[in-house]
């Protein structure tokens, strides 16, 4: 019986281990980035969705293929105008700006010498897509359109974009004016961080006040149907917070859309698409499908300093002097991570790199960068800032102690001995391995249950090993005693009753032992007494009564 139980326990462990292996394989398969809808399901030649705060690409189709952008170029034009001027600045239209457009171009019919505020110009650019206003704003910011175009390309390089080159501020077709869906998404991401731009691009309609050339007010409508669905109500999108349309024969329909839901902001770019005027599918159906997919598939996590390791060394070495509330080390901006809905934040790997030879100046200093990755994809990053103006509670005596410890540690770290290197490597390896093992166990509930069951089985096995013989022996005695079955219990009860009666008779005989002496003395006279006594002795040989009689006769 004991062997059967051990075999059963062993088989249960084997089955659970097999389940664990299959579970690990399933987990490994889930540690992949979602593929998303098939590329053929979209009519647009290029499409992309990017999370704004992290820059994570959530979906892409031909995202690095160079294309004409058309009027979505004006996103960068409006951003540079907002960054390099005040909304109250007066923009005066030159003759070159007012007449520097072709027939059929988008316009608000500005005239030479007309004066508009930069705020009015921004609304004309983003809502009515006015080409002549782009030229006037470029001249106001940089002195000439050519200089402004150079500013545009410098900003593109600053953003790290390599597949974009602009040749005008309004997006008219030009062989040297091109971009990609990815680059355009990065430009839109940068633009959405500007408060003036956000306000302008999210306005459905704007009333322009009188100017020196226009004596009546003008109402400008946003052409983006997701924001202002007057002509096509079915394309209104309640999560839309801005965007820009574009169209030329060479570029086809282009569309940039900003949307926000549950604290997560997305920018969607589609290029070389069809128009809503020609039915469905079109640039709006593609955009809405992409945004709905990404909002439903992904989740944004805000990572605070408590969950990061950027202050780990500082707190470990000087915990009595610093704490998280007064540390001069922090993230530059909001630190966020975007992951699929079914993936925990702990699955994202954090990598911290500190810059070498940083010269600390007064104010904010970038001393490193933290990056989060999942499934081989960057899902979040942020600069690490050291703020020299941050005040702490250290007094002069404490600062001296801290400075002394810091210098000692820096000296040791600068020239560590071979034994220290070996010890540090072993320590970090063991601690890292234990930490990773514990994290892996707690992140896998199935494995936790299996380990618990294994521990229980081992404990039972140890108990059986020390007490198994006594348990088996006691059980065997019970089986021999006959009370494993109903008939056996009856026989046992019957035997107990018989033993009680025999015991009572035996007690009587023991109390009258002289009776046996008299009986044995007279029995010699009987001729058959010897034969009867022998028969009686044989029949009662192994009973308690015969034992008692023989004992007293003896």
């Amino acid at each position: 019986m004991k062997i059967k139980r051990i075999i059963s326990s062993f088989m249960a462990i084997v089955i659970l281990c097999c389940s664990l292996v299959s579970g690990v394989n399933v987990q490994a398969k889930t540690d992949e980035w979602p593929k998303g809808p098939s590329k053929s399901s979209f009519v647009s030649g290029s499409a992309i969705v990017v999370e704004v705060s992290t820059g994570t690409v959530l979906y892409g189709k031909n995202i690095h293929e160079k294309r004409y952008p058309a009027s979505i170029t004006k996103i960068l034009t409006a951003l540079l105008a907002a960054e390099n001027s005040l909304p109250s600045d007066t923009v005066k239209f030159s003759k070159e700006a007012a007449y520097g457009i072709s027939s059929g171009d988008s316009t608000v019919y500005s005239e030479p010498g007309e004066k508009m505020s930069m705020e009015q110009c921004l609304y004309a650019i983003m809502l009515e897509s006015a080409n002549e206003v782009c030229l006037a704003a470029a001249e106001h910011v940089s002195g000439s359109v050519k200089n402004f175009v150079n500013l545009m390309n410098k900003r593109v390089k600053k953003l790290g974009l390599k597949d974009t080159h602009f040749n005008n501020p309004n997006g008219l077709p030009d062989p040297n004016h091109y971009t990609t869906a990815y680059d355009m998404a990065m430009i839109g991401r940068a633009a959405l961080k500007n408060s003036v731009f956000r306000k302008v691009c999210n306005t459905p309609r704007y009333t322009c006040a009188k100017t020196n050339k226009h004596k009546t007010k003008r109402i400008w409508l946003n052409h983006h149907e997701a924001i202002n669905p007057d002509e096509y109500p079915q394309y209104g999108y309640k999560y839309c917070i801005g965007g820009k349309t574009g169209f030329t024969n060479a570029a086809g329909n282009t569309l940039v859309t900003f949307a926000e839901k549950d604290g997560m902001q997305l920018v969607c770019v589609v290029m070389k698409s069809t128009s809503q005027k020609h039915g469905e599918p079109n640039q709006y159906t593609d955009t809405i499908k992409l945004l709905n997919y990404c909002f439903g598939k992904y989740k944004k996590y805000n990572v605070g300093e408590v969950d990061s390791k950027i202050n780990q060394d500082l707190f470990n070495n000087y915990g009595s002097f610093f704490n998280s509330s007064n540390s001069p080390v922090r993230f530059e901006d909001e630190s966020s991570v975007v992951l699929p809905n079914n993936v925990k934040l702990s699955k994202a790997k954090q990598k911290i790199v500190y810059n070498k030879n940083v010269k600390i100046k007064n104010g904010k200093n970038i001393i490193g960068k933290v990056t989060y990755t999942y499934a081989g994809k960057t899902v979040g990053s942020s600069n690490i800032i050291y703020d020299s103006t941050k005040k702490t509670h250290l007094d002069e005596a404490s600062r001296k102690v801290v400075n002394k410890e810091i210098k000692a540690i820096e000296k040791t770290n600068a020239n560590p001995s071979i034994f220290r290197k070996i010890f540090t490597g072993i320590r970090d390896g063991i601690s890292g391995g234990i930490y990773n093992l514990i994290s892996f166990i707690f992140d896998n509930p199935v494995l936790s249950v299996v380990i618990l069951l294994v521990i229980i089985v081992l404990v039972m096995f140890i108990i059986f090993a020390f007490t198994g013989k006594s348990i088996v022996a006691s059980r065997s005695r019970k089986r021999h005693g006959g009370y494993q079955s109903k008939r056996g219990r009856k026989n046992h009860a019957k035997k107990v009753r018989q033993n009680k009666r025999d015991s009572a008779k035996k007690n009587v005989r023991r109390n009258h032992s002289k009776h046996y002496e008299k009986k044995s003395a007279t029995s010699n006279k009987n001729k058959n007494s010897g034969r009867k006594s022998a028969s009686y002795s044989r029949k009662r040989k192994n009973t308690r009564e015969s034992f008692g009689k023989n004992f007293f006769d003896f």
Side-chain angles (χ1 to χ4, degrees):
M1 190 67 180
K2 177 183 177 183
I3 296 175
K4 290 182 179 180
R5 289 177 178 272
I6 294 175
I7 294 174
S8 300
S9 301
F10 178 76
M11 292 301 296
I13 294 174
V14 171
I15 294 171
L16 288 173
C17 290
C18 294
S19 302
L20 175 62
V21 172
S22 62
V24 170
N25 292 334
V26 172
Q27 182 66 28
K29 292 180 180 179
T30 58
D31 288 346
E32 297 178 357
W33 201 257
K35 294 181 180 180
S38 64
K39 295 180 179 180
S40 60
S41 62
F42 299 104
V43 69
S44 304
S46 296
I48 190 173
V49 180
V50 172
E51 200 280 321
V52 173
S53 64
T54 63
T56 305
V57 177
L58 306 184
Y59 180 84
K61 173 186 177 181
N62 302 329
I63 62 175
H64 296 295
E65 193 169 312
K66 295 179 181 179
R67 299 186 184 277
Y68 293 124
S71 288
I72 58 176
T73 302
K74 294 165 185 171
I75 292 177
L76 182 58
T77 301
L79 173 61
L80 293 176
E83 290 179 338
N84 294 278
S85 63
L86 297 174
S88 58
D89 285 358
T90 300
V91 178
K92 186 177 180 179
F93 284 74
S94 66
K95 185 176 181 180
E96 291 76 13
Y99 295 153
I101 59 176
S102 303
S103 176
D105 287 358
S106 299
T107 178
V108 290
Y109 305 102
S110 302
E111 299 180 11
E114 184 172 4
K115 295 179 180 180
M116 295 173 58
S117 68
M118 180 55 77
E119 181 182 47
Q120 291 172 327
C121 289
L122 291 175
Y123 281 106
I125 292 171
M126 291 302 296
L127 272 63
E128 289 289 348
S129 197
N131 285 346
E132 83 280 12
V133 180
C134 293
L135 300 176
E139 291 176 347
H140 176 80
V141 171
S142 301
S144 68
V145 173
K146 183 178 179 180
N147 291 339
F148 186 82
V149 170
N150 291 335
L151 181 64
M152 294 175 72
N153 291 318
K154 286 181 181 179
R155 186 56 183 276
V156 167
K157 290 183 179 179
K158 187 177 180 180
L159 292 173
L161 308 179
K162 300 179 180 180
D163 297 320
T164 296
H165 185 273
F166 291 137
N167 217 31
N168 58 68
N170 45 36
L172 292 175
D174 189 298
N176 293 321
H177 192 94
Y178 54 83
T179 187
T180 65
Y182 175 82
D183 288 5
M184 204 64 232
M186 294 299 108
I187 293 172
R189 180 190 173 208
L192 200 61
K193 296 179 181 180
N194 184 280
S195 58
V196 175
F197 177 87
R198 285 200 308 270
K199 178 183 176 182
V200 172
C201 74
N202 193 27
T203 303
R205 62 172 61 205
Y206 176 78
T207 301
C208 180
K210 300 177 183 180
T211 67
N212 60 325
K213 295 294 183 177
H214 287 82
K215 303 303 180 181
T216 59
K217 296 179 180 181
R218 288 173 287 178
I219 297 177
W220 295 334
L221 301 178
N222 199 321
H223 293 178
H224 200 302
E225 294 291 339
I227 305 170
N228 185 35
D230 287 344
E231 188 174 358
Y232 298 93
Q234 67 270 31
Y235 302 134
Y237 194 67
K238 64 179 181 178
Y239 302 116
C240 182
I241 58 172
K244 184 71 185 77
T245 61
F247 171 78
T248 63
N249 291 328
N253 283 88
T254 60
L255 185 68
V256 176
T257 306
F258 305 110
E260 181 176 3
K261 181 182 179 183
D262 298 332
M264 183 168 66
Q265 291 183 345
L266 305 180
V267 53
C268 177
V269 180
V270 295
M271 303 182 72
K272 197 64 177 179
S273 188
T274 58
S275 173
Q276 73 277 17
K277 298 178 181 179
H278 300 102
E280 297 182 356
N282 54 57
Q283 77 272 39
Y284 287 105
T285 57
D286 282 0
T287 296
I288 293 172
K289 182 178 180 179
L290 285 168
L291 290 174
N292 285 338
Y293 167 76
C294 292
F295 278 131
K297 192 68 176 180
Y298 298 95
K299 183 179 179 180
K300 175 184 172 182
Y301 296 90
N302 293 322
V303 183
E305 291 187 3
V306 176
D307 297 325
S308 72
K309 299 177 182 177
I310 61 172
N311 289 325
Q312 183 177 9
D313 295 335
L314 182 64
F315 292 152
N316 287 346
N317 294 326
Y318 321 113
S320 59
F321 302 104
F322 293 100
N323 56 58
S324 58
S325 62
N326 59 25
S327 173
V329 183
R330 61 174 178 80
F331 290 123
E332 181 179 26
D333 297 312
E334 175 191 16
S335 181
S336 304
V337 172
V338 175
L339 295 168
N341 282 335
N342 60 340
V343 178
K344 297 179 180 179
L345 179 60
S346 58
K347 292 293 184 180
K349 296 181 180 179
Q350 185 188 68
K351 182 180 180 181
I352 299 171
V353 178
Y354 289 99
N355 300 334
K356 297 181 179 180
N357 302 322
V358 177
K359 295 181 179 180
I360 302 298
K361 302 177 181 179
N362 291 332
K364 300 175 182 178
N365 301 268
I366 298 177
I367 63 172
K369 186 175 183 179
V370 56
T371 304
Y372 301 92
T373 58
Y374 173 77
K377 183 186 289 288
T378 299
V379 294
S381 63
S382 178
N383 289 328
I384 303 172
I385 300 296
Y386 173 80
D387 190 352
S388 62
T389 62
K390 187 80 173 181
K391 295 181 179 180
T392 65
H393 66 283
L394 294 180
D395 54 20
E396 185 176 357
S398 299
R399 282 197 297 272
K400 288 182 179 180
V401 174
V402 172
N403 291 335
K404 185 178 179 180
E405 290 184 3
I406 291 175
K407 289 181 180 180
I409 292 174
E410 289 178 347
K411 183 178 180 180
T412 304
N413 292 338
N415 299 301
S417 63
I418 185 64
F419 297 103
R420 183 177 180 83
K421 289 181 179 179
I422 295 173
F423 172 76
T424 304
I426 295 174
R427 180 197 63 187
D428 294 342
I430 294 174
S431 62
I434 294 174
Y435 175 80
N436 293 333
L437 177 62
I438 294 174
S439 300
F440 178 75
I441 291 173
F442 280 99
D443 291 340
N444 294 273
V446 176
L447 181 59
S448 302
V449 174
V450 170
I451 292 176
L452 180 61
L453 292 175
V454 170
I455 293 173
I456 294 173
V457 171
L458 289 175
V459 172
M460 294 175 62
F461 180 79
I462 293 171
I463 293 174
F464 283 140
F466 284 98
T467 63
K469 292 182 179 180
S470 61
I471 292 174
V472 172
S474 63
R475 284 190 169 182
S476 63
R477 287 195 297 271
K478 288 182 179 180
R479 285 195 294 271
H480 290 307
Y483 35 91
Q484 293 296 320
S485 64
K486 185 175 180 181
R487 183 177 183 84
R489 288 194 297 270
K490 287 183 177 180
N491 292 336
H492 175 71
K494 184 177 180 180
K495 187 174 182 180
V496 169
R497 290 193 296 270
Q498 181 64 37
N499 288 340
K500 287 182 178 179
R501 289 195 295 270
D502 294 343
S503 178
K505 293 179 180 179
K506 180 177 66 177
N507 291 337
V508 171
R509 287 169 182 162
R510 285 177 181 175
N511 292 334
H512 300 82
S513 58
K514 293 181 180 181
H515 168 74
Y516 298 103
E517 294 178 2
K518 293 178 179 181
K519 187 175 181 180
S520 62
T522 56
S523 63
N524 293 331
K525 298 178 181 181
N526 193 342
K527 295 179 180 180
N528 299 326
S529 60
R531 193 177 303 168
K532 180 179 179 182
S533 175
S535 176
Y536 181 83
S537 176
R538 283 195 301 270
K539 293 180 180 179
R540 308 294 289 178
K541 183 177 181 180
N542 295 322
T543 64
R544 294 182 181 180
E545 293 176 352
S546 62
F547 175 76
K549 177 180 177 182
N550 295 335
F551 175 79
F552 286 109
D553 288 344
F554 177 79

